[in-house]
Amino acid sequence: MSLKKMMIAIAVASMVLAGCASHKAKPAAQPTVAPAAQAAPAPAPAPAAPEPATSAATPAAAVNTQADAAAAAAEAAKKQLEAELSARSVHFDFDSADLQQNDMTLLKAHAKYISANTAAKVQLEGNCDERGTAEYNLALGERRAKSVAAFLENEGVKKAQIKTVSYGKEKPVDAGHDESAWAKNRRVDINYTANQP
C-alpha cells in the first residue's frame, strides 16, 4: 500500500475513535423498583374464603336432577308406548274399510315399533260381524286388513314385514247378536308373528 493511502486510513480511523470517545455510553436501562417494595417483603396472600357448601353441590345436583328428569321422561314414554302397543285391534264402522281417527295413535305406535325393529313381523287379521254372506265378509275383512297394511307401509313399515289374512265372520270376539257385539267384531287384529313388543 502506498504511504499516502495508509496515512488517509489512519486519519479516518483516528477521527472515528475521537468522535466515539467524546460521547459517554448510557448504561442499559434497568427496571426500576420502588424502594419500599424492595425493603419490605411482600405480604402473604389472604386466605381464600371458604365457598358455601351448596355452591359446589349445586352443579352436581343440577346434573342429577336433569338426569333424573330425563330418565323419568324416558320411562314415562316407554310405559305409554307399551300401553299403546298392548292394544292390538283396530275397529271399523259397518260395511267400511276406512280407518277411524281414534285408532291413529295405536296404529302409529305399532308402525313406529315395527319399522324400528326390522325383525318384527305382523299378520293383519281382518274380521267382520255376522251380517252378510260369508263371501262378502271375507272380501270386506281382506279390504280392512289391507287398509291397515297400507297405513303401516305409509308410516315406514316394510311390505315384507306385513302379511294380511281375512277370517270374515268366522272369528268373532263377542258372540252376541246386537250392535254392541257387532261393533267389537268389525276389526283388524294386529298379530305379531316375530319379535313382538
Side-chain angles (χ1 to χ4, degrees):
M1 205 188 253
S2 76
L3 186 57
K4 186 175 179 182
K5 286 183 185 177
M6 195 187 259
M7 293 298 269
I8 293 175
I10 291 175
V12 171
S14 303
M15 288 197 286
V16 170
L17 287 175
C20 288
S22 66
H23 296 288
K24 291 186 178 176
K26 290 185 180 177
Q30 303 243 342
T32 56
V33 180
Q38 261 184 349
E51 292 186 27
T54 58
S55 70
T58 301
V63 168
N64 285 342
T65 302
Q66 290 172 348
D68 291 345
E75 185 64 27
K78 180 181 175 186
K79 286 184 186 286
Q80 181 180 355
L81 182 61
E82 286 172 356
E84 291 167 352
L85 291 174
S86 68
R88 301 278 175 96
S89 294
V90 178
H91 294 90
F92 295 85
D93 288 332
F94 175 70
D95 198 29
S96 173
D98 295 334
L99 298 173
Q100 296 181 5
Q101 190 62 38
N102 59 346
D103 287 322
M104 291 300 141
T105 302
L106 173 144
L107 287 169
K108 287 181 181 182
H110 283 282
K112 182 177 179 180
Y113 177 80
I114 299 165
S115 63
N117 295 284
T118 56
K121 294 187 185 288
V122 292
Q123 178 169 293
L124 304 175
E125 301 169 348
N127 294 277
C128 301
D129 62 35
E130 65 184 354
R131 298 173 289 179
T133 65
E135 294 81 19
Y136 182 81
N137 283 335
L138 280 172
L140 179 57
E142 183 66 21
R143 285 195 313 270
R144 288 175 174 167
K146 287 186 181 211
S147 179
V148 172
F151 180 87
L152 294 177
E153 288 174 29
N154 194 43
E155 292 291 313
V157 176
K158 296 196 180 344
K159 195 174 216 158
Q161 293 177 277
I162 301 170
K163 179 181 176 186
T164 61
V165 65
S166 176
Y167 294 119
K169 59 183 177 179
E170 302 304 316
K171 290 192 172 187
V173 291
D174 190 326
H177 304 286
D178 59 7
E179 184 55 44
S180 173
W182 296 332
K184 292 175 191 170
N185 292 331
R186 295 189 302 260
R187 72 193 190 283
V188 167
D189 294 323
I190 302 170
N191 182 21
Y192 282 83
T193 58
N195 201 29
Q196 72 177 4

